Amino acid sequence: MELNRRTVVAGAAAAGIAATTLGGTAHASGGRAPVKELFGKLADGTKVHRWSLANGGTRLKVLSYGGIVQSLEIPDRHGRYKNVSLGFDTIEDYVAKSPYFGALIGRYGNRIAKGQFTLDGKSHQLSVNDGVNSLHGGAKGFDKHVWDVEGFASGSDVGLVLHYTSVDGEMGYPGTLKAKVTYTLTRHGDWRIDYEATTDKATVVNLTSHVYWNLAGEGSGSVYDHELRIAASRYTPVDSGLIPTGERAEVAGTPFDFRRTKTVGEDIRVAHQQLLYGKGIDHNWVLDKGITAEPEHIATLRDPSSGRTLKIATDQPGLQFYSGNFLDGTLVGSGGHIYRQGDALCLETQHFPDSPNQPKFPSTVLRPGQTYRSTTVHSFGS
């Protein structure tokens, strides 16, 4: 049934923040309204701004280009701050080199086979940018556009509201899609993302965030010693092009079993065909909870060396875990370090890859009159 959690107005989990003007002040936690500064300009002269905000012990810097999280700083067990997300120092590097560092992803996060799907009897050809497939919305997805951004302070929360309108036919997708994404830092230091979208024609939507996490600190080396737990008993195996086969396979007895906490690197070099296809882990986990009306805790990541932890809650049915396999030593990050394979990982809450071509997967169809809503919450500790 197409009318599911992603297309109906939810309750508190999807409720918007009653934002004040940029000059407002957050109360209770003492947080201040976000600060805006010029970060750089695109080749056509378009200005890109950076917004800095802090609350509850978390410090966040976000670019208007792609809604990119340029840095996210949290303290370790001794109160020492480090940036735990990979990124760059200049807009030029983001435009020329970025493998989606910190970006908002749309219209469709993950892969669509051959960049094609059929909806209501009509075939659509999308932008192809990953071999023969379409990845993360095509050659110029939401990550490569400048969003309209407004800062707010409301009660004990501070945050940003980002808007982007994707016109009918952009990257081959039908319908004019109006997207709204709200980044909120709560008084507890949680980073919450609320996604919304509406369309004037039937289309498919799957929005997510593509932060590359290293809880020991950006540029500190491999995350293979990070400890991870995922509340999922199944995953979706892929073919050699990393397109799901349609199966929901048991994780039991495979390197993909993270139902108990184990290190990221414990089984990553096991001779398993799925790991060979992905050059490591680049797979979707079928979350045990399914689609839910409220965000539920589905994953915990911990760095033993610093004590930093990340807990993720979502209402989405899937989690794409990517172990940074294609970081090849050619990128120099914001800390001046070279990024190599396994130097970060991504935990992308979303619907399943290639869902428009997989009738047994949860639907990603959005129709006029419906509102796409999704919420993911990142909670930090040490």
Side-chain angles (χ1 to χ4, degrees):
M1 181 177 181
E2 290 175 3
L3 189 60
N4 55 30
R5 170 62 182 87
R6 60 189 293 106
T7 58
V8 296
V9 176
I17 301 297
T20 65
T21 63
L22 176 61
T25 302
H27 302 289
S29 64
R32 296 180 179 178
V35 175
K36 176 183 177 182
E37 62 182 325
L38 182 66
F39 183 72
K41 295 182 180 179
L42 301 181
D44 64 1
T46 302
K47 292 181 179 180
V48 174
H49 292 98
R50 178 170 64 184
W51 295 77
S52 300
L53 54 160
N55 204 10
T58 300
R59 303 168 180 170
L60 185 63
K61 292 184 178 179
V62 176
L63 305 183
S64 58
Y65 179 79
I68 287 170
V69 172
Q70 193 221 0
S71 73
L72 194 154
E73 297 181 337
I74 55 175
D76 65 7
R77 61 169 63 93
H78 302 294
R80 296 172 297 197
Y81 276 83
K82 280 192 176 180
N83 173 23
V84 297
S85 66
L86 271 56
F88 295 117
D89 277 331
T90 68
I91 188 59
E92 289 78 13
D93 279 348
Y94 278 108
V95 171
K97 306 175 183 179
S98 182
Y100 306 100
F101 284 158
L104 281 175
I105 302 297
R107 289 189 191 189
Y108 198 96
N110 222 308
R111 295 172 174 86
I112 295 180
K114 299 180 180 179
Q116 299 174 347
F117 70 93
T118 299
L119 179 59
D120 297 337
K122 183 177 181 180
S123 297
H124 299 275
Q125 178 62 58
L126 307 176
S127 166
V128 172
N129 62 328
D130 182 47
V132 299
N133 303 317
S134 183
L135 174 66
H136 294 333
K140 192 174 181 181
F142 286 7
D143 60 295
K144 296 178 179 65
H145 289 275
V146 175
W147 291 58
D148 293 326
V149 185
E150 296 178 356
F152 69 83
S154 176
S156 59
D157 296 334
V158 297
L160 304 171
V161 181
L162 302 95
H163 292 271
Y164 175 69
T165 297
S166 176
V167 299
D168 184 21
E170 185 173 277
M171 295 294 104
Y173 287 90
T176 294
L177 189 84
K178 294 183 178 180
K180 173 186 175 183
V181 180
T182 303
Y183 289 169
T184 303
L185 284 186
T186 74
R187 65 187 180 90
H188 301 293
D190 295 345
W191 174 41
R192 172 177 172 139
I193 311 175
D194 290 291
Y195 305 89
E196 297 181 23
T198 58
T199 184
D200 61 0
K201 292 182 183 178
T203 191
V204 295
V205 187
N206 187 31
L207 306 182
T208 190
S209 173
H210 209 298
V211 173
Y212 282 66
W213 301 101
N214 186 325
L215 297 184
E218 170 274 337
S220 63
S222 173
V223 295
Y224 287 171
D225 62 347
H226 280 35
E227 299 166 348
L228 177 63
R229 181 180 178 274
I230 303 174
S233 302
R234 296 178 181 271
Y235 77 109
T236 52
V238 297
D239 63 19
S240 60
L242 300 182
I243 297 295
T245 62
E247 181 186 5
R248 305 187 201 197
E250 296 279 354
V251 299
T254 76
F256 302 94
D257 192 351
F258 282 87
R259 292 173 298 173
R260 65 168 180 84
T261 300
K262 69 177 183 181
T263 63
V264 170
E266 181 173 326
D267 296 318
I268 205 165
R269 301 201 184 279
V270 170
H272 190 285
Q273 184 60 60
Q274 288 294 306
L275 295 179
L276 293 172
Y277 282 153
K279 295 182 172 59
I281 298 171
D282 193 0
H283 294 74
N284 168 67
W285 267 250
V286 179
L287 299 174
D288 290 340
K289 71 174 188 60
I291 299 171
T292 49
E294 305 282 345
E296 294 186 10
H297 176 225
I298 51 91
T300 299
L301 182 69
R302 180 177 182 271
D303 169 42
S305 64
S306 67
R308 294 187 184 94
T309 61
L310 164 63
K311 293 183 178 180
I312 298 177
T314 189
D315 50 22
Q316 294 292 276
L319 179 73
Q320 184 79 10
F321 170 22
Y322 168 58
S323 57
N325 317 322
F326 299 102
L327 297 174
D328 60 4
T330 62
L331 301 178
V332 178
S334 55
H337 300 97
I338 294 174
Y339 296 150
R340 300 187 182 277
Q341 186 181 54
D343 279 359
L345 59 84
C346 302
L347 298 168
E348 306 156 60
T349 56
Q350 57 188 283
H351 269 246
F352 305 166
D354 199 37
S355 289
N357 296 309
Q358 302 278 356
K360 294 184 178 180
F361 286 178
S363 174
T364 55
V365 174
L366 180 68
R367 298 188 179 279
Q370 299 176 340
T371 299
Y372 168 102
R373 296 187 190 273
S374 172
T375 298
T376 294
V377 181
H378 306 80
S379 301
F380 307 102
S382 58

